[in-house]
Amino acid sequence: MTSEGSAPPSLPRHVAIIMDGNGRWANLRGLPRVEGHRMGVRSVRAVVECARELRIPCLTLYAFSLENWGRPEPEVIALMTLLKEFLVSELPLLLRHRIRLRVIGETTSLPFAVRQVLEHTVSATAGNTEMTLTLGLSYAGRNEIVRAARRLAAEAADGKIAPEEITEEMFSTRLDTAGIPDPDLVIRTSGELRISNFLLWQSAYAEFAFTDVLWPDFGKAEFLQALEEYSRRHRRFGLTTDQAVKPPGK
Ligand code: FPP
């Protein structure tokens, strides 16, 4: 077992997390769902701090999916409020630890007040280079892929690119995650074994770690356990075990 605070031997460059189980955590305690989300923010803080301590360069959190807009309005409002509060309260931590904040998703759908705080946090942390914390907000993988396809189609229609010259790399640079390496490890909490429209293109070669732990109970120890599990995996990227274990084309 890895003891708390010590880095597992082979670390991912990019960890992405589907934070699930806040509602069930609250239900189990007879609390309103929003209390689960509130406790979920504590887990966000713990994981960000742990990733930073371990010098993991990229962490992406699925905080609000495009589909989540369909939840009851009070829950959506509560999530937006928590998000705003988080961005305000954590800015000093992001600056102190030189963490850059990025956002992926259809952010134009977010309330104006949230977009304002987001823009402020993104620009205030833009020069930070120690770690990139990316939040998936109003995010859905298929929607992101369609928006990237539209961008390429518009460039082709303008005569800037030829359709037959479009490559995977060009496609990647039109995604919201442009410039961020693909996730090496995707973690999902709460016992659900689904990808739920998260980083569909980017997770082509990701390792997956599923845990029954509900997100509000997910802390540093659980994060280290997932990293340890990852370090034991043998990534082959479609090659044989004897071949070099490098991503294709890298
Ligand atoms: C999934 O649990 C979780 C969400 C939809 C929201 C995640 C949000 C947070 C952790 C807090 C705010 C985020 C930040 C970055 C400050 P669920 O509600 O689907 O749980 P259930 O499946 O048990 O109902």
Side-chain angles (χ1 to χ4, degrees):
M1 268 296 281
T2 306
S3 65
E4 284 211 0
S6 64
S10 158
L11 281 173
R13 275 199 309 166
H14 182 181
V15 181
I17 310 184
I18 303 174
M19 310 181 287
D20 197 8
N22 295 348
R24 274 163 285 166
W25 185 93
N27 283 344
L28 284 168
R29 288 159 180 81
L31 297 168
R33 292 177 56 84
V34 62
E35 287 309 314
H37 297 313
R38 203 183 301 284
M39 291 305 279
V41 177
R42 235 179 34 159
S43 303
V44 168
R45 201 172 289 125
V47 167
V48 170
E49 282 177 356
C50 187
R52 177 64 183 86
E53 267 172 40
L54 294 173
R55 302 190 168 276
I56 291 172
C58 300
L59 175 69
T60 298
L61 304 175
Y62 203 3
F64 191 84
S65 74
L66 203 52
E67 292 79 12
N68 286 157
W69 289 116
R71 292 197 174 196
E73 201 185 352
E75 183 169 341
V76 171
I77 292 172
L79 278 166
M80 291 299 139
T81 305
L82 280 176
L83 178 66
K84 256 189 315 184
E85 287 171 1
F86 171 83
L87 292 169
V88 171
S89 68
E90 301 313 301
L91 182 59
L93 179 117
L94 298 178
L95 293 173
R96 194 166 61 247
H97 291 299
R98 296 189 297 282
I99 301 172
R100 176 185 183 191
L101 185 87
R102 274 189 66 164
V103 187
I104 55 171
E106 216 173 65
T107 48
T108 47
S109 323
L110 294 166
F112 179 69
V114 173
R115 273 186 286 144
Q116 259 189 329
V117 186
L118 266 176
E119 274 164 31
H120 175 69
T121 315
V122 167
S123 68
T125 61
N128 292 344
T129 51
E130 290 299 315
M131 180 176 141
T132 301
L133 169 64
T134 304
L135 296 182
L137 291 173
S138 193
Y139 177 85
R142 285 184 176 177
N143 166 274
E144 180 192 29
I145 289 169
V146 168
R147 286 186 288 108
R150 278 193 202 134
R151 282 182 197 125
L152 282 170
E155 290 173 52
D158 288 348
K160 290 180 187 146
I161 54 168
E164 62 276 12
E165 285 169 4
I166 295 172
T167 61
E168 291 184 11
E169 285 68 30
M170 285 167 74
F171 201 92
S172 293
T173 61
R174 271 72 174 182
L175 291 167
D176 297 347
T177 50
I180 301 172
D182 286 345
D184 301 298
L185 172 65
V186 176
I187 300 172
R188 184 172 189 147
T189 58
S190 90
E192 307 291 352
L193 308 177
R194 292 189 290 276
I195 191 161
S196 295
N197 219 349
F198 185 49
L199 301 178
L200 295 182
W201 171 279
Q202 299 88 337
S203 60
Y205 286 98
E207 295 292 325
F208 286 81
F210 296 101
T211 170
D212 287 339
V213 173
L214 303 175
W215 179 250
D217 291 328
F218 192 92
K220 192 170 173 174
E222 290 74 19
F223 188 56
L224 288 172
Q225 202 178 328
L227 294 176
E228 194 178 55
E229 192 179 323
Y230 170 84
S231 74
R232 291 195 302 266
R233 302 271 177 93
H234 298 288
R235 305 181 77 194
R236 294 200 301 271
F237 304 101
L239 305 177
T240 68
T241 312
D242 292 341
Q243 292 174 301
V245 280
K246 276 184 173 177
K250 300 264 162 87

